[in-house]
Amino acid sequence: MSNLKKTVINNVWSKAKRLNPENDDFRLDICGAIIRKDMYGRSDSIYGWTVDHVFPTCKMSSTEHKDELVNLQAINCLNNIAKGKNFPNFECVVTSIGNQNIRTKISQRICEETLVKLCEYFPDIKDYLDENKEIK
């Protein structure tokens, strides 16, 4: 997602959970991995992060709203690779303990609140989930 505007990248960053309320340089991704603001796009760092489509574009019937902020999240680069096109369940490969990232494998699911918000922009999410009997 290298063609995103800096304002979009900053808005996505601001959605991620702060690690420390007084320091904006570190946040947590959906897997609990620590990401560093200055490591955007740095897949060579355990703290590198990128912008991810929560609902993968390959699953959309229309990509008209694919870059709506509700569908974008800051995610550790390694977790993004592991997530791939999986939705709503996926696997994390990096999380944190204390102030350090560790490699691990844990199952994760997009929270129901986010799924409901996404359905406003992508009605096909509900159809996709219903077809796969993920939620009712």
Side-chain angles (χ1 to χ4, degrees):
M1 299 196 76
S2 58
N3 57 348
L4 289 176
K5 293 180 181 177
K6 202 169 210 167
T7 54
V8 173
I9 294 167
N10 287 332
N11 288 339
V12 171
W13 174 258
S14 69
K15 286 176 48 178
K17 182 179 178 183
R18 280 183 184 241
L19 187 61
N20 176 337
E22 296 167 18
N23 185 343
D24 190 45
D25 294 335
F26 298 91
R27 302 254 173 161
L28 294 173
D29 78 357
I30 191 171
C31 300
I34 299 168
I35 51 178
R36 274 184 39 186
K37 190 172 188 177
D38 64 342
M39 292 288 173
Y40 175 73
R42 294 279 308 274
S43 59
D44 62 328
S45 169
I46 193 96
Y47 300 101
W49 66 284
T50 190
V51 174
D52 172 56
H53 287 103
V54 179
F55 183 47
T57 56
C58 66
K59 296 192 182 291
M60 296 176 182
S61 60
S62 167
T63 57
E64 180 183 355
H65 299 289
K66 71 180 176 79
D67 292 335
E68 291 289 336
L69 191 56
V70 69
N71 193 43
L72 302 177
Q73 65 182 347
I75 191 170
N76 175 282
C77 289
L78 296 171
N79 286 331
N80 189 47
I81 292 167
K83 178 181 176 275
K85 62 181 180 178
N86 297 309
F87 176 88
N89 302 309
F90 60 96
E91 197 168 85
C92 300
V93 294
V94 178
T95 192
S96 63
I97 295 180
N99 292 342
Q100 290 190 334
N101 278 346
I102 60 165
R103 290 181 184 257
T104 187
K105 282 191 177 183
I106 55 174
S107 295
Q108 183 62 279
R109 179 178 170 86
I110 304 299
C111 74
E112 298 301 316
E113 180 183 341
T114 299
L115 290 173
V116 169
K117 288 178 185 176
L118 287 171
C119 283
E120 294 175 24
Y121 290 94
F122 310 102
D124 47 328
I125 287 177
K126 186 170 181 341
D127 295 338
Y128 173 80
L129 296 173
D130 286 346
E131 286 172 14
N132 293 285
K133 297 183 173 111
E134 294 287 350
I135 62 172
K136 295 181 181 181

